[in-house]
Amino acid sequence: KAGVTQTPRYLIKTRGQQVTLSCSPISGHRSVSWYQQTPGQGLQFLFEYFSETQRNKGNFPGRFSGRQFSNSRSEMNVSTLELGDSALYLCASSLKSLRGRDPNSPLHFGNGTRLTVT
Amino acid sequence: AQSVTQLGSHVSVSEGALVLLRCNYSSSVPPYLFWYVQYPNQGLQLLLKYTSAATLVKGINGFEAEFKKSETSFHLTKPSAHMSDAAEYFCAVSDPGVYAGGTSYGKLTFGQGTILTVHP
């Protein structure tokens, strides 16, 4: 079974531009979460989508947005890029994000998109 | 809110020696805990998860972790380090989110990570 696929692997953008990152979850996984990883702040949660709806959101400015499509694929968008947005952006999928705990559905991560803002 | 503290940002061991990576958590709900490993230029790979079924959890690559509620700890161990174990390790706790339709479990709160170096 294919893992979580993120495209592109690397991106270089300039300040003020916007960027869209793509994530294809593991087949059958309906929940997609996004994380930002930086040396200074570590791994920080951006948002989570399930059934095309945002279920949870981290503490990031409104420049960061996302969406999920009916096939569970997800995109995140960052507008008006700042130097501090340079990071590894990780997408993770899980089988469920529902009422009731399901400990057998941990997050499975992709290899990330490395975004560099100059 | 949930939080995780990993003691020691760098741990160095000799090949064949015991690996011990420390993790303490704070959780307002019964915790679900995870250890992930990250190799350079890669995403996170799940090593093991604590799901309340057993306090000693065995994972992949010979790693295991013990949940100790009284100490709020979930330390990761491996009896004998291998060169291929060199990587960064992250402890994480499930941080549920409540929304109009229920509770979501897609958010993890991670520790700051521990870089494991293995010397020949």
Short mmCIF file of all heavy atoms in Angstrom, two decimals, chain A residues 23 25-34 45-57 66-75 91-100 102 105-107, chain B residues 97-107:
data_model
loop_
_atom_site.label_atom_id
_atom_site.label_comp_id
_atom_site.label_asym_id
_atom_site.label_seq_id
_atom_site.Cartn_x
_atom_site.Cartn_y
_atom_site.Cartn_z
N CYS A 23 -1.10 16.93 -0.69
CA CYS A 23 -0.94 15.72 0.10
C CYS A 23 -1.96 14.68 -0.32
O CYS A 23 -3.18 14.96 -0.33
CB CYS A 23 -1.10 16.04 1.58
SG CYS A 23 -1.16 14.60 2.67
N PRO A 25 -3.31 11.12 0.93
CA PRO A 25 -3.23 10.21 2.07
C PRO A 25 -3.15 8.75 1.62
O PRO A 25 -3.33 8.44 0.45
CB PRO A 25 -4.53 10.47 2.81
CG PRO A 25 -5.49 10.89 1.75
CD PRO A 25 -4.66 11.67 0.76
N ILE A 26 -2.86 7.91 2.59
CA ILE A 26 -2.90 6.47 2.34
C ILE A 26 -4.32 6.09 1.92
O ILE A 26 -5.30 6.62 2.47
CB ILE A 26 -2.47 5.69 3.60
CG1 ILE A 26 -0.99 5.96 3.88
CG2 ILE A 26 -2.75 4.21 3.47
CD1 ILE A 26 -0.50 5.41 5.21
N SER A 27 -4.40 5.20 0.96
CA SER A 27 -5.71 4.78 0.48
C SER A 27 -6.59 4.30 1.63
O SER A 27 -6.18 3.45 2.43
CB SER A 27 -5.53 3.66 -0.55
OG SER A 27 -6.78 3.19 -1.00
N GLY A 28 -7.80 4.86 1.70
CA GLY A 28 -8.72 4.48 2.76
C GLY A 28 -8.67 5.38 3.97
O GLY A 28 -9.56 5.35 4.83
N HIS A 29 -7.62 6.17 4.09
CA HIS A 29 -7.52 7.12 5.20
C HIS A 29 -8.32 8.37 4.88
O HIS A 29 -8.19 8.93 3.79
CB HIS A 29 -6.05 7.50 5.46
CG HIS A 29 -5.28 6.43 6.14
ND1 HIS A 29 -4.06 6.68 6.76
CD2 HIS A 29 -5.53 5.11 6.32
CE1 HIS A 29 -3.61 5.56 7.29
NE2 HIS A 29 -4.48 4.60 7.04
N ARG A 30 -9.11 8.79 5.84
CA ARG A 30 -9.99 9.92 5.58
C ARG A 30 -9.62 11.17 6.36
O ARG A 30 -10.16 12.24 6.11
CB ARG A 30 -11.43 9.50 5.90
CG ARG A 30 -11.93 8.34 5.05
CD ARG A 30 -13.26 7.84 5.53
NE ARG A 30 -14.29 8.86 5.44
CZ ARG A 30 -15.48 8.77 6.01
NH1 ARG A 30 -15.77 7.70 6.74
NH2 ARG A 30 -16.37 9.72 5.88
N SER A 31 -8.71 11.01 7.30
CA SER A 31 -8.29 12.17 8.09
C SER A 31 -6.90 12.60 7.64
O SER A 31 -6.00 11.78 7.46
CB SER A 31 -8.26 11.78 9.57
OG SER A 31 -7.69 12.82 10.33
N VAL A 32 -6.75 13.90 7.46
CA VAL A 32 -5.45 14.46 7.07
C VAL A 32 -5.11 15.60 8.00
O VAL A 32 -5.95 16.48 8.25
CB VAL A 32 -5.48 14.97 5.61
CG1 VAL A 32 -4.17 15.69 5.29
CG2 VAL A 32 -5.69 13.81 4.64
N SER A 33 -3.89 15.56 8.52
CA SER A 33 -3.41 16.64 9.38
C SER A 33 -2.14 17.22 8.78
O SER A 33 -1.40 16.52 8.09
CB SER A 33 -3.09 16.10 10.79
OG SER A 33 -4.24 15.56 11.40
N TRP A 34 -1.89 18.48 9.07
CA TRP A 34 -0.70 19.17 8.58
C TRP A 34 0.10 19.69 9.77
O TRP A 34 -0.47 20.19 10.75
CB TRP A 34 -1.10 20.35 7.68
CG TRP A 34 -1.64 19.95 6.35
CD1 TRP A 34 -2.94 19.70 6.03
CD2 TRP A 34 -0.89 19.82 5.13
NE1 TRP A 34 -3.06 19.38 4.69
CE2 TRP A 34 -1.81 19.47 4.12
CE3 TRP A 34 0.45 19.96 4.79
CZ2 TRP A 34 -1.43 19.24 2.80
CZ3 TRP A 34 0.83 19.75 3.48
CH2 TRP A 34 -0.10 19.39 2.49
N PHE A 45 1.33 21.78 15.07
CA PHE A 45 0.11 21.40 14.39
C PHE A 45 -0.51 22.59 13.68
O PHE A 45 -0.66 23.67 14.27
CB PHE A 45 -0.86 20.82 15.41
CG PHE A 45 -2.24 20.55 14.91
CD1 PHE A 45 -2.50 19.45 14.11
CD2 PHE A 45 -3.30 21.39 15.24
CE1 PHE A 45 -3.78 19.18 13.66
CE2 PHE A 45 -4.57 21.14 14.79
CZ PHE A 45 -4.82 20.04 14.01
N LEU A 46 -0.85 22.39 12.41
CA LEU A 46 -1.49 23.45 11.64
C LEU A 46 -3.01 23.27 11.62
O LEU A 46 -3.75 24.13 12.07
CB LEU A 46 -0.96 23.45 10.21
CG LEU A 46 0.39 24.11 10.01
CD1 LEU A 46 1.08 23.57 8.77
CD2 LEU A 46 0.24 25.62 9.91
N PHE A 47 -3.47 22.17 11.05
CA PHE A 47 -4.89 21.87 11.01
C PHE A 47 -5.13 20.42 10.64
O PHE A 47 -4.23 19.71 10.22
CB PHE A 47 -5.68 22.78 10.05
CG PHE A 47 -4.89 23.36 8.92
CD1 PHE A 47 -4.35 22.56 7.93
CD2 PHE A 47 -4.70 24.74 8.84
CE1 PHE A 47 -3.63 23.10 6.89
CE2 PHE A 47 -3.99 25.29 7.79
CZ PHE A 47 -3.45 24.48 6.81
N GLU A 48 -6.39 20.03 10.83
CA GLU A 48 -6.82 18.67 10.57
C GLU A 48 -8.12 18.71 9.78
O GLU A 48 -9.02 19.50 10.09
CB GLU A 48 -7.03 17.90 11.87
CG GLU A 48 -7.59 16.49 11.67
CD GLU A 48 -8.12 15.90 12.96
OE1 GLU A 48 -8.09 16.56 14.00
OE2 GLU A 48 -8.58 14.75 12.91
N TYR A 49 -8.21 17.84 8.79
CA TYR A 49 -9.41 17.75 7.97
C TYR A 49 -9.95 16.32 7.98
O TYR A 49 -9.19 15.35 8.01
CB TYR A 49 -9.12 18.16 6.53
CG TYR A 49 -8.94 19.65 6.39
CD1 TYR A 49 -7.70 20.22 6.60
CD2 TYR A 49 -10.02 20.46 6.09
CE1 TYR A 49 -7.54 21.59 6.50
CE2 TYR A 49 -9.86 21.83 5.99
CZ TYR A 49 -8.62 22.39 6.19
OH TYR A 49 -8.47 23.74 6.10
N PHE A 50 -11.24 16.24 7.97
CA PHE A 50 -11.94 14.96 7.87
C PHE A 50 -13.24 15.21 7.13
O PHE A 50 -13.97 16.16 7.47
CB PHE A 50 -12.20 14.37 9.25
CG PHE A 50 -12.91 13.05 9.22
CD1 PHE A 50 -12.23 11.89 8.92
CD2 PHE A 50 -14.27 12.98 9.49
CE1 PHE A 50 -12.88 10.67 8.89
CE2 PHE A 50 -14.93 11.77 9.45
CZ PHE A 50 -14.24 10.62 9.16
N SER A 51 -13.52 14.39 6.14
CA SER A 51 -14.73 14.56 5.33
C SER A 51 -14.87 15.99 4.83
O SER A 51 -15.95 16.60 4.95
CB SER A 51 -15.97 14.15 6.14
OG SER A 51 -15.99 12.78 6.36
N GLU A 52 -13.78 16.51 4.32
CA GLU A 52 -13.75 17.83 3.66
C GLU A 52 -14.01 18.99 4.62
O GLU A 52 -14.23 20.12 4.17
CB GLU A 52 -14.77 17.87 2.50
CG GLU A 52 -14.53 16.78 1.46
CD GLU A 52 -15.59 16.78 0.37
OE1 GLU A 52 -15.67 17.80 -0.35
OE2 GLU A 52 -16.33 15.79 0.25
N THR A 53 -13.99 18.72 5.91
CA THR A 53 -14.26 19.76 6.90
C THR A 53 -13.08 19.89 7.84
O THR A 53 -12.50 18.90 8.27
CB THR A 53 -15.53 19.41 7.72
OG1 THR A 53 -16.62 19.26 6.82
CG2 THR A 53 -15.83 20.51 8.73
N GLN A 54 -12.74 21.11 8.17
CA GLN A 54 -11.68 21.32 9.15
C GLN A 54 -12.21 20.98 10.53
O GLN A 54 -13.20 21.56 10.98
CB GLN A 54 -11.21 22.78 9.10
CG GLN A 54 -9.97 23.04 9.95
CD GLN A 54 -9.52 24.50 9.85
OE1 GLN A 54 -9.91 25.34 10.65
NE2 GLN A 54 -8.69 24.78 8.86
N ARG A 55 -11.52 20.10 11.21
CA ARG A 55 -11.98 19.63 12.53
C ARG A 55 -11.19 20.28 13.67
O ARG A 55 -11.66 20.30 14.79
CB ARG A 55 -11.82 18.11 12.64
CG ARG A 55 -12.51 17.33 11.56
CD ARG A 55 -14.01 17.46 11.62
NE ARG A 55 -14.67 16.58 10.66
CZ ARG A 55 -15.98 16.46 10.52
NH1 ARG A 55 -16.77 17.18 11.29
NH2 ARG A 55 -16.48 15.65 9.62
N ASN A 56 -10.01 20.73 13.37
CA ASN A 56 -9.17 21.28 14.43
C ASN A 56 -8.16 22.21 13.77
O ASN A 56 -7.77 22.00 12.61
CB ASN A 56 -8.46 20.15 15.19
CG ASN A 56 -8.00 20.58 16.58
OD1 ASN A 56 -8.06 21.75 16.94
ND2 ASN A 56 -7.55 19.61 17.36
N LYS A 57 -7.75 23.21 14.51
CA LYS A 57 -6.84 24.20 13.94
C LYS A 57 -5.82 24.59 14.99
O LYS A 57 -6.16 24.79 16.16
CB LYS A 57 -7.63 25.43 13.48
CG LYS A 57 -6.82 26.45 12.72
CD LYS A 57 -7.72 27.59 12.27
CE LYS A 57 -7.01 28.55 11.33
NZ LYS A 57 -5.77 29.11 11.91
N GLY A 66 -6.21 25.61 4.44
CA GLY A 66 -6.17 24.28 3.84
C GLY A 66 -7.54 23.89 3.35
O GLY A 66 -8.54 24.60 3.55
N ARG A 67 -7.56 22.75 2.68
CA ARG A 67 -8.83 22.19 2.28
C ARG A 67 -8.64 20.71 2.00
O ARG A 67 -7.52 20.24 1.81
CB ARG A 67 -9.40 22.90 1.06
CG ARG A 67 -8.51 22.86 -0.19
CD ARG A 67 -9.22 23.51 -1.35
NE ARG A 67 -8.37 23.61 -2.54
CZ ARG A 67 -8.84 23.97 -3.73
NH1 ARG A 67 -10.13 24.24 -3.90
NH2 ARG A 67 -8.03 24.05 -4.78
N GLN A 68 -9.75 20.01 1.98
CA GLN A 68 -9.72 18.60 1.68
C GLN A 68 -10.78 18.30 0.63
O GLN A 68 -11.89 18.84 0.68
CB GLN A 68 -9.97 17.76 2.93
CG GLN A 68 -9.80 16.25 2.70
CD GLN A 68 -10.08 15.43 3.94
OE1 GLN A 68 -10.94 15.79 4.75
NE2 GLN A 68 -9.36 14.34 4.12
N PHE A 69 -10.43 17.45 -0.29
CA PHE A 69 -11.33 17.12 -1.39
C PHE A 69 -12.09 15.82 -1.07
O PHE A 69 -11.77 15.12 -0.11
CB PHE A 69 -10.52 16.97 -2.68
CG PHE A 69 -9.75 18.20 -3.03
CD1 PHE A 69 -8.41 18.34 -2.65
CD2 PHE A 69 -10.35 19.25 -3.71
CE1 PHE A 69 -7.70 19.50 -2.96
CE2 PHE A 69 -9.64 20.40 -4.03
CZ PHE A 69 -8.32 20.52 -3.65
N SER A 70 -13.05 15.53 -1.91
CA SER A 70 -13.91 14.37 -1.67
C SER A 70 -13.14 13.05 -1.71
O SER A 70 -13.57 12.06 -1.13
CB SER A 70 -15.06 14.34 -2.67
OG SER A 70 -14.56 14.29 -3.98
N ASN A 71 -11.99 13.04 -2.36
CA ASN A 71 -11.18 11.81 -2.39
C ASN A 71 -10.16 11.78 -1.26
O ASN A 71 -9.25 10.96 -1.27
CB ASN A 71 -10.47 11.69 -3.74
CG ASN A 71 -9.51 12.84 -4.00
OD1 ASN A 71 -9.41 13.77 -3.19
ND2 ASN A 71 -8.84 12.80 -5.12
N SER A 72 -10.32 12.68 -0.30
CA SER A 72 -9.48 12.80 0.90
C SER A 72 -8.15 13.49 0.66
O SER A 72 -7.45 13.79 1.62
CB SER A 72 -9.24 11.46 1.60
OG SER A 72 -10.45 10.94 2.07
N ARG A 73 -7.79 13.73 -0.59
CA ARG A 73 -6.57 14.49 -0.84
C ARG A 73 -6.71 15.89 -0.23
O ARG A 73 -7.81 16.44 -0.12
CB ARG A 73 -6.32 14.59 -2.34
CG ARG A 73 -4.94 15.11 -2.72
CD ARG A 73 -4.76 15.09 -4.24
NE ARG A 73 -5.60 16.08 -4.92
CZ ARG A 73 -5.29 17.37 -5.07
NH1 ARG A 73 -4.16 17.84 -4.56
NH2 ARG A 73 -6.10 18.18 -5.72
N SER A 74 -5.58 16.43 0.17
CA SER A 74 -5.63 17.72 0.85
C SER A 74 -4.59 18.67 0.28
O SER A 74 -3.56 18.24 -0.26
CB SER A 74 -5.40 17.53 2.35
OG SER A 74 -5.38 18.77 3.03
N GLU A 75 -4.86 19.92 0.37
CA GLU A 75 -3.90 20.96 0.02
C GLU A 75 -3.83 21.96 1.16
O GLU A 75 -4.81 22.18 1.86
CB GLU A 75 -4.34 21.70 -1.25
CG GLU A 75 -4.25 20.89 -2.52
CD GLU A 75 -4.69 21.69 -3.75
OE1 GLU A 75 -5.30 22.76 -3.58
OE2 GLU A 75 -4.43 21.21 -4.87
N CYS A 91 2.59 16.30 6.14
CA CYS A 91 1.20 15.88 6.10
C CYS A 91 1.12 14.49 6.70
O CYS A 91 2.04 13.67 6.54
CB CYS A 91 0.72 15.86 4.64
SG CYS A 91 -0.88 15.09 4.37
N ALA A 92 0.05 14.23 7.41
CA ALA A 92 -0.14 12.91 8.01
C ALA A 92 -1.58 12.47 7.80
O ALA A 92 -2.50 13.28 7.86
CB ALA A 92 0.17 12.95 9.50
N SER A 93 -1.76 11.20 7.57
CA SER A 93 -3.13 10.70 7.43
C SER A 93 -3.38 9.61 8.47
O SER A 93 -2.46 8.97 8.97
CB SER A 93 -3.37 10.15 6.02
OG SER A 93 -2.71 8.92 5.81
N SER A 94 -4.62 9.45 8.79
CA SER A 94 -5.02 8.37 9.69
C SER A 94 -6.37 7.85 9.24
O SER A 94 -7.10 8.51 8.52
CB SER A 94 -5.05 8.81 11.15
OG SER A 94 -6.04 9.79 11.35
N LEU A 95 -6.66 6.66 9.75
CA LEU A 95 -7.87 5.98 9.29
C LEU A 95 -9.12 6.71 9.72
O LEU A 95 -10.10 6.76 9.01
CB LEU A 95 -7.87 4.55 9.84
CG LEU A 95 -8.77 3.54 9.16
CD1 LEU A 95 -8.49 3.48 7.67
CD2 LEU A 95 -8.57 2.17 9.78
N LYS A 96 -9.05 7.34 10.92
CA LYS A 96 -10.25 7.95 11.44
C LYS A 96 -9.92 9.24 12.17
O LYS A 96 -8.82 9.45 12.62
CB LYS A 96 -10.95 7.02 12.44
CG LYS A 96 -11.43 5.71 11.88
CD LYS A 96 -12.07 4.90 12.98
CE LYS A 96 -12.42 3.51 12.48
NZ LYS A 96 -13.00 2.69 13.55
N SER A 97 -10.91 10.07 12.30
CA SER A 97 -10.82 11.23 13.18
C SER A 97 -12.24 11.46 13.66
O SER A 97 -12.96 12.29 13.16
CB SER A 97 -10.31 12.45 12.45
OG SER A 97 -10.47 13.59 13.24
N LEU A 98 -12.66 10.68 14.62
CA LEU A 98 -14.10 10.56 14.88
C LEU A 98 -14.41 10.63 16.36
O LEU A 98 -13.55 10.72 17.20
CB LEU A 98 -14.58 9.20 14.38
CG LEU A 98 -14.24 8.87 12.92
CD1 LEU A 98 -14.59 7.44 12.63
CD2 LEU A 98 -14.94 9.79 11.97
N ARG A 99 -15.64 10.56 16.64
CA ARG A 99 -16.07 10.36 18.01
C ARG A 99 -15.48 9.04 18.51
O ARG A 99 -15.43 8.07 17.78
CB ARG A 99 -17.59 10.22 18.08
CG ARG A 99 -18.37 11.40 17.57
CD ARG A 99 -19.84 11.09 17.62
NE ARG A 99 -20.63 12.19 17.13
CZ ARG A 99 -20.85 12.42 15.85
NH1 ARG A 99 -20.35 11.61 14.95
NH2 ARG A 99 -21.58 13.45 15.47
N GLY A 100 -15.04 9.07 19.75
CA GLY A 100 -14.51 7.82 20.31
C GLY A 100 -13.07 7.60 19.92
O GLY A 100 -12.70 7.79 18.79
N ASP A 102 -9.74 5.88 18.83
CA ASP A 102 -9.33 4.71 18.06
C ASP A 102 -7.82 4.66 18.08
O ASP A 102 -7.15 5.19 17.19
CB ASP A 102 -9.84 4.81 16.62
CG ASP A 102 -9.56 3.53 15.86
OD1 ASP A 102 -8.77 2.71 16.35
OD2 ASP A 102 -10.11 3.35 14.77
N SER A 105 -5.36 3.82 15.16
CA SER A 105 -5.25 4.68 13.99
C SER A 105 -4.26 5.81 14.24
O SER A 105 -4.65 6.96 14.33
CB SER A 105 -6.62 5.26 13.63
OG SER A 105 -7.50 4.25 13.24
N PRO A 106 -3.00 5.48 14.35
CA PRO A 106 -2.01 6.53 14.54
C PRO A 106 -1.82 7.32 13.26
O PRO A 106 -2.30 6.95 12.20
CB PRO A 106 -0.73 5.75 14.89
CG PRO A 106 -0.92 4.44 14.20
CD PRO A 106 -2.39 4.14 14.28
N LEU A 107 -1.12 8.43 13.37
CA LEU A 107 -0.81 9.24 12.20
C LEU A 107 0.33 8.62 11.41
O LEU A 107 1.33 8.18 11.97
CB LEU A 107 -0.42 10.66 12.63
CG LEU A 107 -1.45 11.45 13.42
CD1 LEU A 107 -0.97 12.87 13.63
CD2 LEU A 107 -2.81 11.43 12.75
N GLY B 97 -9.22 17.41 19.98
CA GLY B 97 -9.87 18.68 19.73
C GLY B 97 -11.37 18.48 19.67
O GLY B 97 -11.85 17.51 19.09
N VAL B 98 -12.11 19.39 20.28
CA VAL B 98 -13.57 19.27 20.29
C VAL B 98 -14.12 20.21 19.24
O VAL B 98 -13.76 21.38 19.18
CB VAL B 98 -14.13 19.63 21.68
CG1 VAL B 98 -15.65 19.59 21.65
CG2 VAL B 98 -13.58 18.68 22.73
N TYR B 99 -14.97 19.70 18.40
CA TYR B 99 -15.63 20.52 17.41
C TYR B 99 -17.11 20.22 17.48
O TYR B 99 -17.56 19.39 18.28
CB TYR B 99 -15.07 20.25 16.01
CG TYR B 99 -15.34 18.87 15.49
CD1 TYR B 99 -16.38 18.63 14.60
CD2 TYR B 99 -14.54 17.79 15.88
CE1 TYR B 99 -16.64 17.37 14.13
CE2 TYR B 99 -14.80 16.52 15.42
CZ TYR B 99 -15.84 16.31 14.54
OH TYR B 99 -16.09 15.05 14.06
N ALA B 100 -17.89 20.89 16.65
CA ALA B 100 -19.34 20.80 16.77
C ALA B 100 -19.85 19.38 16.64
O ALA B 100 -20.82 18.99 17.26
CB ALA B 100 -20.00 21.70 15.72
N GLY B 101 -19.13 18.57 15.84
CA GLY B 101 -19.61 17.23 15.59
C GLY B 101 -19.05 16.17 16.50
O GLY B 101 -19.42 15.00 16.40
N GLY B 102 -18.15 16.54 17.39
CA GLY B 102 -17.58 15.52 18.27
C GLY B 102 -16.16 15.86 18.65
O GLY B 102 -15.83 17.02 18.92
N THR B 103 -15.30 14.86 18.68
CA THR B 103 -13.91 15.02 19.08
C THR B 103 -13.01 14.49 17.98
O THR B 103 -13.28 13.42 17.42
CB THR B 103 -13.62 14.26 20.39
OG1 THR B 103 -14.54 14.71 21.38
CG2 THR B 103 -12.20 14.51 20.85
N SER B 104 -11.98 15.22 17.68
CA SER B 104 -11.03 14.78 16.66
C SER B 104 -9.71 14.42 17.30
O SER B 104 -9.35 14.95 18.36
CB SER B 104 -10.82 15.87 15.61
OG SER B 104 -10.19 16.99 16.19
N TYR B 105 -8.99 13.53 16.67
CA TYR B 105 -7.75 13.01 17.23
C TYR B 105 -6.58 13.14 16.27
O TYR B 105 -5.63 12.38 16.35
CB TYR B 105 -7.94 11.55 17.64
CG TYR B 105 -8.96 11.42 18.74
CD1 TYR B 105 -10.29 11.13 18.46
CD2 TYR B 105 -8.60 11.61 20.07
CE1 TYR B 105 -11.22 11.03 19.47
CE2 TYR B 105 -9.52 11.50 21.08
CZ TYR B 105 -10.84 11.22 20.77
OH TYR B 105 -11.77 11.12 21.77
N GLY B 106 -6.64 14.10 15.38
CA GLY B 106 -5.58 14.24 14.40
C GLY B 106 -4.44 15.12 14.85
O GLY B 106 -3.48 15.31 14.12
N LYS B 107 -4.59 15.68 16.05
CA LYS B 107 -3.53 16.55 16.54
C LYS B 107 -2.69 15.83 17.56
O LYS B 107 -3.20 15.25 18.53
CB LYS B 107 -4.14 17.81 17.19
CG LYS B 107 -3.09 18.74 17.77
CD LYS B 107 -3.74 19.91 18.48
CE LYS B 107 -2.69 20.81 19.12
NZ LYS B 107 -3.31 21.89 19.90
#
